Amino acid sequence: MDFDYDLFVIGGGSGGVRAARVAASETGARVGLAEESRYGGTCVIRGCVPKKLMVFASGYASIEAEAGAYGWDVTLRDFHWDRFKAKLHAELDRLEGIYRRLLAGAGVETFDARATVKDAHTVVLSTGEEKTAKHILVAVGGRPTRPDLPNSELGIVSDDLFDLPELPKSILIIGGGYIASEFAGVMNGLGVKVTQFYRGAQILRGFDNEARTLVAEQMVEKGIDLQLGTNIAEMDKRNGGVWVKSTNGDEAVFDQVLFATGRRPNSDNLGLEALGVALSDGGAVNVTEYSQTAVPSIYAIGDVTDRVNLTPVAIREGMAFVETVFKANPTPVDHDLIPSAIFTQPEMGTVGLSEEAAADMEPIEVYATTFKPMQSSFAGQADRVLMKLVVSKATRKVLGCHIVAPSAGEMIQLAGIAVKMGATKEDFDRTVAVHPTMSEEIVTMKVPTRTT
Ligand code: NDP
């Protein structure tokens, strides 16, 4: 049968764009791609990129005190949200332009339209056009969710944060995950009074306990009112803001309430289930290790599959799909030992198993040190950092590395290579320290802090 395309990609985010571009430019495939919103997707338009720029913006708040201690006369005046926002959006426009040009340059035909799947080889565009393709790749991402609570529409979600008409004076953030904890730091740094409710015992569930506890302590130290074991019970419009009653009975009015209570795959109304593509209860498209759905011509990658919801993972999944389908080189996606960073303040970088997860599996040694880093300690600040290795007693392999420190994301990228290679504690030990740095501690911890 003759198709319009070899590949039709639904969704112009990190994963979809990479797969489309590589299939077209490296294999000569005829590729079409539809995007209903903006090219670049969540990461570039309403996620990682604008978030990180806001992390940078908020980081300048501490400069005055620190520079003063180093002998500088610095006076930081007001933060102008309008000025920053205009520059931020200009940058996002620039990046979107790059994504569009990359696709055009690779010969991918793009459609600014929503696409749904009609049958195993046909998509229907919101323009009314139908396109056929030998393969369809669903890369539609996910979206933030609000809890099932009356008046929850009075709260905003992370998508809204980059378009706020003005910075609120106070914000209540609901949730204890990545987005809640990162934006608590951002808003606090920008001078907003931040309250964070997390229903569990400690934020960043699933991460190493010692690391997340240090992050939480430092967040409180920096002025965030973090209330653990607390959730929102009721909300309403009152006194020009949002009135909230918490599960412990306290009441307060906030300028804004941010729900950072998780994300859901964008698999609704795509026509997938009717075709026999299986979805999980949470709406994730079920796929094999080759990202293939139950309909052999339809594949799915990225957040819509809810495997590991990170941009570089979606990109890997897109590349593995192209290898498998267009280069006759079946390539499963390796989801093991993925380093990642949480851009809280302080930042956390992590790869491998937490101490708790490792201890559940085998006898381990833990090497950990917390200390005041030179730069902020000189300035009399209370910041503390953590360097931690979780080591298998049997194989001596480093099973996990956890860093809480300024630029921990940068450090864990490099430590991640060693851990991925299967480095042992002794491999770390025979690496000479780089002095004076914070990360040198990772190769100088001689005695286990704990063993299990
Ligand atoms: P997460 O799943 O990380 O966190 C959701 C949080 O909301 C959890 O603390 C959860 O609590 C809480 N929650 C869920 N439902 C409710 C409810 N009904 N009432 C109160 N609290 C609730 O989601 P995020 O939205 O923070 O992030 C989504 C994904 O985006 C992440 O998993 C990650 O993959 C990605 N991401 C990655 C970043 C990075 O790499 N730096 C940055 C931002 C996002 P509980 O723990 O009790 O379930």
Side-chain angles (χ1 to χ4, degrees):
M1 187 177 159
D2 218 13
F3 298 108
D4 298 331
Y5 299 101
D6 300 308
L7 171 65
F8 199 95
V9 180
I10 308 179
S14 306
V17 167
R18 179 63 67 91
R21 195 160 67 78
V22 175
S25 62
E26 291 185 13
T27 77
R30 295 165 305 148
V31 183
L33 182 148
E35 167 57 54
E36 64 176 333
S37 176
R38 296 185 63 184
Y39 289 74
T42 298
C43 177
V44 175
I45 304 296
R46 60 193 86 84
C48 330
V49 171
K51 180 273 307 284
K52 186 99 191 251
L53 290 169
M54 285 181 77
V55 170
F56 290 141
S58 67
Y60 289 100
S62 60
I63 263 190
E64 195 174 288
E66 201 167 301
Y70 279 88
W72 291 90
D73 263 334
V74 180
T75 310
L76 220 52
R77 292 201 296 273
D78 294 335
F79 172 71
H80 295 278
W81 171 245
D82 280 357
R83 232 152 68 191
F84 171 72
K85 193 170 86 169
K87 194 147 189 311
L88 174 70
H89 283 280
E91 177 64 0
L92 302 184
D93 291 346
R94 186 182 74 84
L95 293 172
E96 183 178 12
I98 290 175
Y99 271 74
R100 283 184 183 270
R101 281 197 296 281
L102 281 173
L103 287 168
V108 176
E109 195 176 354
T110 54
F111 301 88
D112 293 356
R114 177 170 171 80
T116 55
V117 185
K118 183 180 172 189
D119 63 40
H121 296 285
T122 311
V123 298
V124 185
L125 303 180
S126 46
T127 54
E129 291 167 276
E130 289 194 3
K131 301 287 174 191
T132 60
K134 187 167 184 209
H135 301 284
I136 295 171
L137 180 66
V138 179
V140 293
R143 63 177 187 284
T145 56
R146 289 178 165 80
D148 193 9
L149 179 82
N151 297 328
S152 68
E153 73 287 348
L154 295 175
I156 58 172
V157 292
S158 58
D159 289 359
D160 305 317
L161 281 166
F162 314 107
D163 292 306
L164 291 173
E166 56 193 31
L167 266 192
K169 292 207 165 32
S170 63
I171 191 166
L172 169 66
I173 300 181
I174 311 290
Y178 285 83
I179 295 177
S181 305
E182 291 182 340
F183 275 101
V186 167
M187 287 294 168
N188 186 52
L190 295 179
V192 179
K193 187 174 179 314
V194 177
T195 307
Q196 184 179 358
F197 287 177
Y198 174 52
R199 61 185 180 181
Q202 187 53 278
I203 58 167
L204 300 172
R205 181 166 62 82
F207 291 98
D208 185 86
N209 271 343
E210 193 175 7
R212 64 197 181 118
T213 302
L214 180 60
V215 170
E217 284 170 6
Q218 301 273 292
M219 285 168 64
V220 171
E221 174 78 30
K222 288 177 195 295
I224 293 165
D225 178 11
L226 172 61
Q227 302 192 20
L228 300 172
T230 307
N231 205 349
I232 187 168
E234 288 177 55
M235 64 192 300
D236 209 345
K237 225 177 184 153
R238 237 181 250 182
N239 301 337
V242 186
W243 166 85
V244 169
K245 187 171 183 180
S246 76
T247 45
N248 58 26
D250 291 348
E251 297 179 37
V253 174
F254 300 91
D255 279 355
Q256 295 277 6
V257 173
L258 168 70
F259 287 112
T261 47
R263 297 176 59 86
R264 190 185 155 81
N266 273 333
S267 56
D268 308 342
N269 307 318
L270 276 182
L272 293 170
E273 279 170 298
L275 287 183
V277 172
L279 305 184
S280 74
D281 288 346
V285 176
N286 291 339
V287 289
T288 65
E289 57 182 339
Y290 300 103
S291 300
Q292 190 173 34
T293 73
V295 175
S297 58
I298 302 180
Y299 288 71
I301 56 165
D303 287 8
V304 76
T305 63
D306 197 18
R307 288 176 280 182
V308 180
N309 298 332
L310 299 171
T311 287
V313 176
I315 290 173
R316 286 288 169 111
E317 290 168 357
M319 306 275 277
F321 158 79
V322 174
E323 279 295 317
T324 303
V325 175
F326 289 95
K327 295 188 178 177
N329 174 27
T331 305
V333 185
D334 179 4
H335 288 113
D336 196 26
L337 293 173
I338 295 169
S340 69
I342 309 155
F343 296 98
T344 39
Q345 298 175 28
E347 202 167 300
M348 186 198 305
T350 179
V351 62
L353 298 176
S354 66
E355 176 180 344
E356 299 70 41
D360 278 349
M361 292 166 65
E362 58 178 296
I364 56 164
E365 287 177 356
V366 174
Y367 296 81
T369 175
T370 58
F371 55 95
K372 287 185 170 183
M374 190 194 253
Q375 186 174 2
S376 53
S377 158
F378 182 82
Q381 288 164 356
D383 300 21
R384 277 186 304 132
V385 303
L386 167 73
M387 301 286 155
K388 177 166 180 175
L389 296 176
V390 179
V391 177
S392 163
K393 261 187 185 163
T395 66
R396 306 299 301 152
K397 273 191 184 169
V398 174
L399 303 173
C401 177
H402 311 283
I403 298 176
V404 177
S407 300
E410 305 289 347
M411 298 180 201
I412 207 69
Q413 178 69 83
L414 304 179
I417 300 170
V419 175
K420 185 82 185 164
M421 288 175 75
T424 60
K425 175 67 170 65
E426 287 64 36
D427 290 326
F428 275 68
D429 291 348
R430 65 196 174 86
T431 305
V432 174
V434 178
H435 186 72
T437 63
M438 293 176 281
S439 54
E440 66 182 299
E441 298 292 329
I442 218 82
V443 297
T444 54
M445 292 183 285
K446 293 284 174 257
V447 183
T449 318
R450 291 179 287 282
T451 56
T452 61

